[in-house]
Amino acid sequence: MQSRRAGNMLAAFSFVLWGILPLYYQFLPQANTNELLALRIIFSVPVMLLVMLLLKRPLPTISTLLADKKSLFMCFIAGCIMSVSWYAFTWAITHGEVLAASLGYFINPLFAIALGLFFLSERLSKAQVAAVALAIIGIGYQVWQYGELPWLSLIMGSFFAIYGLTKKYIKYDALTSVTIEAAVLTPFAVIYMIWLYLSGDSVSLTSGATTFLLYVGSAPVTVAPLIFFALALNRTSLTMVGLMQYIEPSLQFLLAVFLFGEVFDQTKAVSFGLIWFGLILCTLEALPSLFHRKKKIALPH
């Protein structure tokens, strides 16, 4: 029980950290998202290696990695997919679109449900069918009112769900996987930064130490919640993690509306409302099984 309680706290803390990330990026308005992504990839590797040393986790050897070439290749794919999701997220929160980021992560579970249906042959419950239908109606309503798709939200939600699906085919442990995902992309990021510097177009390398450190800081501030999340997965249930993941977009939503002053008009209210209602249905459906599992754990053997 102590381990499960610790896992719940770690999971909740990771989602809180993700939820307040927009506060950090307010120091980098209109940031160069390409550079942010490149520096995040480059500096994520030493951060992850340091964390593994502090947690006394064995560092992966070349022979161990090459022994499972499929997982190594899937780490490269996962890294590319995560880069797309993270790029869209970073652009949103550095260009006054935190609400779009919030919507993206609210609809992420619905994309995950759809992927489970098509790729893992999972069956949808009535609540999940209703949630997906409500999300489609909600997004359709936005398209009808605004005349365009909420591309940022759809890219974030879909690519993060695809990232989760990809992780199912990686056999390395969670911390090793995250490290390798960044490591295999690091050469491309380094080449890009060198080219940017030589062409005189770099912002982070030519705007002073403070700006450079803020760009570099995007690595630890985004890796930290991922580490807490990875540690939580071994100590709590996926059901509890699924219920708590709404902490992140909820905090982003509150920051966008009440701190950053983004417009939350009637169209967004209807769209968000439909999606929230669907998520509430899924949550209510999951609660009985969660409590039943807790009761079984509490029974003496």
Side-chain angles (χ1 to χ4, degrees):
M1 287 299 293
Q2 289 292 334
S3 176
R4 182 170 291 268
R5 190 175 295 112
N8 292 341
M9 292 177 65
L10 286 168
F13 187 56
S14 69
F15 287 122
V16 168
L17 290 180
W18 267 316
I20 62 175
L21 264 180
L23 293 174
Y24 179 84
Y25 287 98
Q26 294 307 300
F27 295 104
L28 290 168
Q30 304 297 315
N32 185 312
T33 314
N34 294 328
E35 281 189 76
L36 268 175
L37 177 60
L39 290 173
R40 179 192 182 271
I41 291 171
I42 293 168
F43 285 94
S44 288
V45 177
V47 169
M48 287 302 302
L49 292 176
L50 177 61
V51 167
M52 293 178 76
L53 287 172
L54 291 174
L55 294 175
K56 297 181 180 180
R57 299 287 182 88
L59 297 178
T61 62
I62 299 298
S63 58
T64 301
L65 298 176
L66 292 178
D68 188 354
K69 293 184 176 63
K70 180 180 178 181
S71 290
L72 186 61
F73 175 72
M74 292 309 293
C75 278
F76 174 76
I77 299 299
C80 292
I81 293 170
M82 174 54 80
S83 294
V84 175
S85 178
W86 193 84
Y87 185 96
F89 172 73
T90 308
W91 192 94
I93 62 178
T94 55
H95 290 76
E97 295 286 348
V98 179
L99 268 179
S102 172
L103 178 62
Y105 289 118
F106 271 125
I107 61 179
N108 164 251
L110 306 176
F111 276 111
I113 289 170
L115 290 175
L117 173 66
F118 290 110
F119 292 96
L120 303 177
S121 300
E122 296 177 356
R123 293 185 176 182
L124 299 189
S125 65
K126 291 180 180 178
Q128 290 173 332
V129 171
V132 173
L134 287 167
I136 292 171
I137 294 170
I139 293 170
Y141 182 74
Q142 271 203 42
V143 174
W144 180 45
Q145 291 292 323
Y146 295 149
E148 60 182 13
L149 281 167
W151 287 110
L152 277 175
S153 304
L154 292 174
I155 290 171
M156 274 184 283
S158 61
F159 273 81
F160 196 69
I162 296 170
Y163 174 75
L165 176 65
T166 306
K167 297 284 278 187
K168 288 184 174 291
Y169 300 96
I170 298 174
K171 296 180 180 179
Y172 305 140
D173 66 85
L175 293 180
T176 298
S177 174
V178 172
T179 305
I180 300 305
E181 286 164 26
V184 294
L185 294 179
T186 294
F188 303 100
V190 170
I191 291 171
Y192 173 74
M193 288 303 300
I194 292 173
W195 173 80
L196 210 60
Y197 177 73
L198 294 176
S199 64
D201 294 327
S202 173
V203 176
S204 63
L205 298 176
T206 58
S207 299
T210 301
T211 300
F212 177 72
L213 290 175
L214 284 170
Y215 271 74
V216 170
S218 65
V221 300
T222 53
V223 167
L226 200 59
I227 294 168
F228 287 113
F229 180 73
L231 294 173
L233 285 177
N234 296 326
R235 294 172 171 84
T236 188
S237 67
L238 287 176
T239 304
M240 181 60 78
V241 170
L243 294 176
M244 286 194 291
Q245 70 180 359
Y246 303 122
I247 293 173
E248 176 192 352
S250 297
L251 287 174
Q252 291 169 359
F253 174 83
L254 294 173
L255 288 175
V257 175
F258 296 107
L259 186 61
F260 304 144
E262 291 189 28
V263 176
F264 187 63
D265 56 20
Q266 183 180 353
T267 299
K268 287 189 175 71
V270 172
S271 181
F272 270 80
L274 289 167
I275 292 167
W276 286 335
F277 184 57
L279 295 175
I280 289 171
L281 291 177
C282 289
T283 302
L284 292 175
E285 182 184 59
L287 284 175
S289 62
L290 177 63
F291 289 135
H292 180 65
R293 189 179 292 113
K294 280 188 173 182
K295 186 176 181 180
K296 287 177 66 177
I297 293 172
L299 288 174
H301 294 289

